[in-house]
Amino acid sequence: MSDNEHLNYARSKIADVPDFPKPGILFKDITPLLQDKKAFNDAVDDLASHLNGANKVAGIESRGFIFAAAIAAKHNLGLVLLRKPGKLPRKTHVVQYQLEYGFDSLEMHQDSLDKNDRVLLVDDVLATGGTMMAGCELIAKSGAKLTNCAVFIEISALNGRNRLSSIPIHSSIIV
Ligand code: AMP
């Protein structure tokens, strides 16, 4: 876990949007950060500091894709997409997970990873941890080794870290 001064500038580019997409949610909008080359670069470098020997970076749809793709390109690594249901055209592994009301699922092509791969799993925000847990389970199904999870923003009040207690997770900024 780190919450370092070198990320103060990037932190200043997160916009808090109350009651989006529904009442009671404080949405962490990263679009101002993405528009700013220093803030975006600082965020990507911090997330990539926990590659721990990964040869692939997996991103969770959709904002996780942005950070994962940037890390993969910058470090010459493969990129794997963990997508919402029905988006991937070939055979997939599927993991269902619980939302506040109902269920959602994540899918990954079966040939995206194998037991020789070492993977950094990336998303923008860790809230309750359900999404990240599903991502970890997808990677486990493939037989690949998870080197670390990395999120740009951790919402500590929602206790996602506790749910992922056995999994190494780095968060750039803790709110
Ligand atoms: P959770 O499964 O509850 O940890 O939710 C994490 C996922 O939902 C991530 O993919 C985020 O993009 C999104 N998310 C959850 N809460 C927020 C929030 N307050 N602001 C922005 N994105 C969020």
Side-chain angles (χ1 to χ4, degrees), residues 47 51 54-72 77-83 106-108 112-113 117-124 131-132 134-136 138-140 142 144-151:
L47 292 167
L51 278 165
N55 66 308
K56 287 186 177 159
V57 185
I60 298 179
E61 187 167 357
S62 59
R63 290 179 296 277
F65 289 174
I66 300 167
F67 291 116
I71 296 166
L77 303 170
L79 174 68
V80 173
L81 305 183
L82 275 46
R83 299 212 64 179
L106 274 183
E107 299 186 1
M108 179 181 76
S112 289
L113 294 171
D117 285 313
R118 297 171 54 80
V119 188
L120 176 75
L121 176 59
V122 176
D123 204 358
D124 64 333
T131 309
M132 191 59 88
C136 292
L138 268 185
I139 291 169
S142 74
K145 178 172 169 38
L146 180 76
T147 62
N148 226 89
C149 297
V151 293

Side-chain angles (χ1 to χ4, degrees), residues 35-54:
Q35 289 157 206
D36 185 295
K37 65 183 179 188
K38 173 173 165 49
F40 185 29
N41 210 54
D42 286 352
V44 168
D45 283 346
D46 189 73
L47 292 167
S49 67
H50 284 67
L51 278 165
N52 293 338

Side-chain angles (χ1 to χ4, degrees), residues 15-17 20-21 24-30 60-64 84 97-100 122-134 151 153 155 158 160 163-164 175:
D16 284 351
V17 185
F20 183 88
I25 305 279
L26 183 63
F27 189 81
K28 298 288 180 186
D29 177 17
I30 58 161
I60 298 179
E61 187 167 357
S62 59
R63 290 179 296 277
K84 299 283 167 61
Y97 60 101
Q98 195 152 15
L99 300 173
E100 197 179 352
V122 176
D123 204 358
D124 64 333
V125 171
L126 179 72
T128 65
T131 309
M132 191 59 88
M133 178 60 85
V151 293
I153 303 166
I155 303 173
L158 295 177
R163 190 163 175 183
L164 295 161
V175 296

